Structures are given as C-alpha cells and as structure tokens.
Amino acid sequence: MADVQNPQSDMDRELLTETATTGKKLDSGDSWYSHSIPNLPEPTRQLFEQYSGIPPAQVVEHIEQMRLRAFAVCPYPCIGQSRWLSLGLSRHALYPDVLARLCQSATEGTVQYQSLGMSGQKSNRYYSISHPQKFLDLGCCLGQDLRKLVFDGAPSENLYGLDIEEAFIKIGYEVFLDRDSLKSQFVVEDMMLADGPKSGSDRPQRFANNASTSPITPLVPLSSLDEQISIIAANSFFHLYNYSDQLKLAKRMVQLLSPQPGSMILGRQLGSSVPGEYTGMKDDDTRYAHDVASFQRFWDRVAEEVGDGCRFRVESTMDEVELILGQKWSEPNMRMLRFGVWRE
C-alpha cells in the first residue's frame, strides 16, 4: 500500500469530528478521504486480531473493505481519514478509571472507590460506587471504543452506544465480527432532538437510504436510560455546538447520569486559548471553544440551571501546542481540551 502515513501526529491529536459534523455528501475525491490507511497502532491491531479473530495478514484488507463500505454509506471525516482507528477513549487519562469501574460491575454491591484525576494519578476524592456501572458512548460511530472496552474486560451488557446514524451501528457488527457475541445496546437519536424515542422513518438519519438492511440488536430509546448511566464518554461532541446548545446537551447528559456521587462525564474536544464563539463546522453555524477556566464556568452554570443542589467537580487540561487543521473553521488559538466531570 503506497504512501503509508505515520500515525503519531494525526492519531495523537485524535480530532474525531464524527457524527453530525456535516450533511454534505462526500466522495473519494473529497479532501476528507485518504486513499491510504495509517500504520495501525498496536492496540488497534490487537483488537482486530484477538477480539475479532481476523488473521494478521488480513487485518488491513478487512479494515479497508469496511472503511470503504462505511464511507459509501455515511461519508464522514472520521471514516475517510481513518481516525476511528485511533481508539481515542483508551488513550484518555481517565480510561484506567473507567475500565476499573466497569470491570467491577460484574458483581453487585457497593464499593469505596478512589478516583483518578486528569494527571492520571489518584485524586483525594472517594466515592461509594454501586454496581453494576453502566457506560454510554455519545457519537459512538462504528462502536470501536465499546469493543475496546469489551476486549479489555468490561461486560458488554453494561455498555451503550448512541449515534445519529443507524448504519454505523449495523456496519460496526461487520467490522468487528461480533453480531452473535456483543450484548451492548444502541440508541439512534439526535441529542439535540432527544425529547422522546424515535423509530423507523422518524429517526434523523442523513444517509438512511444507503443503510444496510441487516438485522441489528433492538434499539432502546434514550429516555429509558435516564438516571441509569454511571459514565458518559463525550469525545469530539461539545465542540460541534454553540454555547446555548452546549448547555442544552449538558443538561440532557445530567438527566442520563445516575444521581449517585461519582457519576462522571469524560472526553476531549477542540478548545481555544481565547474562548468564545467561532465559525462552525457546518455552514451558518457557530461553535463555542473553551479553555480550562471557561469550561469550569460552563459546568458551574449547568449545575446552577439544573438546581436541586447539583454540584460538579471539574478537571481539564489543554494542550499548549496549536492545532493546525487547515479547515475553514480553524483558528490560530485552537487547542485540544481533555476533561473529566464528576457529580458530587
């Protein structure tokens, strides 16, 4: 395969602008499509070889076939540029915490739990955690982060994925060859419109006409998960929206969170050393980019608007190195913001 790229810079920056970035139909001539797949990180190769059982010599060919199929159905940049292969959740500082909590979910009961901080070191915060813990991946794409969690030992029946594109979920089973073994459940809804369950032709899928018709695990309405989720992953999610919409989304996430202290939201997103509204990733939209201080103020406001004594512990870090993405919505102060938010 010609022109194989080194993944270190691209994948370490892990800008997954997946699900809901654009409704524009892309093709192989678009700048979002790369004709080569980067060298696979070892954890990604292990996932395909040991979880999916694909022979080593066939892994790249299988990925390329699935990538082309997914891109033909839902032509998003995360697919065309192979960013989904980065398994970004597993490289978050709080991933060991997430995995430990989910793996303890195999047994019922309550345990004392000392949380990690964004430094990757144990914090001074202890929570009483009831099991089983449930995990929700917002904008799950092909479900790659869910499969990584299962491969690392998390019970799949306690994992949920949400995406606006049902086709991604269907193709994910074929990507990872686990239709008969994965017990995770999926939600197909737009979080901005998630006032109630959607079904059939009412689901807001942009590319539904091209979707696979193969069977899928029964979908669950998002409302059925209210106050049930212990951990929410929101990677490359908030930065798609303006400040007002971010508030709406955050309050909807709080509805999903278990009321138990220690319930958490983690992720990463585009930030800025000069926080504010910037050109959006879709025409005529704006997006709000946070720095560490504005992100703290944001969650303080969420807590105030939720009321009932709601409080959050917030930790975030922002890269010092400027992100140069070459897109019309890029700006000189763009950085990567990573965060953890815990219910107190």
Side-chain angles (χ1 to χ4, degrees):
M1 188 175 295
D3 299 325
V4 175
Q5 303 170 357
N6 187 316
Q8 294 303 312
S9 59
D10 290 341
M11 289 196 173
D12 284 347
R13 294 181 185 275
E14 61 192 45
L15 175 62
L16 303 176
T17 51
E18 61 264 60
T19 69
T21 53
T22 176
K24 172 175 174 269
K25 183 78 172 177
L26 305 179
D27 57 36
S28 60
D30 195 280
S31 60
W32 281 123
Y33 186 88
S34 173
H35 288 277
S36 61
I37 293 178
N39 291 327
L40 291 179
E42 189 57 29
T44 305
R45 180 170 285 279
Q46 288 178 350
L47 186 65
F48 281 99
E49 292 179 6
Q50 299 177 32
Y51 174 81
S52 300
I54 300 171
Q58 298 176 24
V59 167
V60 173
E61 179 183 3
H62 173 77
I63 289 173
E64 177 61 8
Q65 290 176 350
M66 293 295 103
R67 183 176 77 113
L68 288 171
R69 180 171 179 185
F71 194 77
V73 173
C74 298
Y76 288 115
C78 63
I79 303 297
Q81 296 191 343
S82 302
R83 294 171 184 165
W84 60 283
L85 295 171
S86 68
L87 303 179
L89 176 65
S90 66
R91 297 187 292 107
H92 194 286
L94 299 178
Y95 182 73
D97 223 2
V98 171
L99 185 62
R101 290 174 60 167
L102 292 172
C103 287
Q104 289 175 340
S105 294
T107 58
E108 300 283 344
T110 301
V111 298
Q112 280 292 113
Y113 149 75
Q114 184 181 10
S115 73
L116 286 179
M118 283 298 297
S119 66
Q121 303 299 314
K122 290 289 186 181
S123 73
N124 60 359
R125 293 295 292 115
Y126 288 82
Y127 301 103
S128 294
I129 300 297
S130 297
H131 295 292
Q133 298 271 285
K134 293 182 178 180
F135 171 91
L136 174 63
D137 185 9
L138 295 181
C140 64
C141 193
L142 297 173
Q144 64 275 5
D145 287 326
L146 294 182
R147 270 71 175 201
K148 174 62 173 170
L149 281 166
V150 175
F151 178 60
D152 288 342
S156 67
E157 62 268 24
N158 295 332
L159 310 182
Y160 298 81
L162 178 148
D163 205 282
I164 196 172
E165 302 292 352
E166 185 174 351
F168 272 159
I169 297 167
K170 292 179 177 180
I171 294 172
Y173 288 111
E174 299 174 48
V175 171
F176 294 101
L177 306 179
D178 59 358
R179 187 180 301 278
D180 295 329
S181 59
L182 186 72
K183 299 177 182 178
S184 301
Q185 297 184 74
F186 294 93
V187 179
V188 177
E189 293 188 27
D190 184 338
M191 280 283 288
M192 285 301 298
L193 304 174
D195 295 325
K198 304 288 189 298
S199 61
S201 60
D202 293 332
R203 294 194 191 109
Q205 299 172 64
R206 271 173 284 260
F207 307 109
N209 291 338
N210 295 323
S212 167
T213 57
S214 57
I216 186 173
T217 299
L219 299 172
V220 297
L222 187 62
S223 59
S224 70
L225 301 180
D226 284 352
E227 298 189 353
Q228 301 297 309
I229 302 299
S230 310
I231 304 166
I232 295 175
N235 289 311
S236 295
F237 193 78
F238 283 112
H239 70 206
L240 300 173
Y241 301 94
N242 60 40
Y243 192 92
S244 176
D245 286 346
Q246 288 182 19
L247 278 173
K248 294 176 185 177
L249 290 165
K251 288 188 285 187
R252 184 67 187 95
M253 290 182 199
V254 174
Q255 284 183 271
L256 292 166
L257 277 181
S258 164
Q260 187 176 51
S263 300
M264 65 184 292
I265 301 168
L266 77 156
R268 46 94 175 83
Q269 63 196 45
L270 288 178
S272 177
S273 58
V274 182
E277 297 281 355
Y278 290 94
T279 301
M281 297 177 188
K282 295 188 292 184
D283 293 339
D284 302 322
D285 280 354
T286 62
R287 59 179 182 84
Y288 192 92
H290 290 277
D291 66 2
V292 169
S294 74
F295 197 64
Q296 175 69 61
R297 292 193 298 270
F298 173 79
W299 281 100
D300 289 344
R301 181 169 175 179
V302 172
E304 180 181 355
E305 294 194 10
V306 169
D308 294 327
C310 181
R311 293 187 301 117
F312 297 105
R313 166 184 151 223
V314 181
E315 292 188 22
S316 60
T317 63
M318 195 166 70
D319 293 349
E320 295 298 325
V321 179
E322 177 185 345
L323 282 172
I324 303 174
L325 299 175
Q327 302 300 321
K328 65 179 182 180
W329 40 263
S330 299
E331 52 91 10
N333 304 299
M334 188 177 288
R335 305 289 188 271
M336 186 62 75
L337 182 77
R338 296 174 175 84
F339 62 87
V341 178
W342 291 262
R343 190 167 215 159
E344 293 286 87

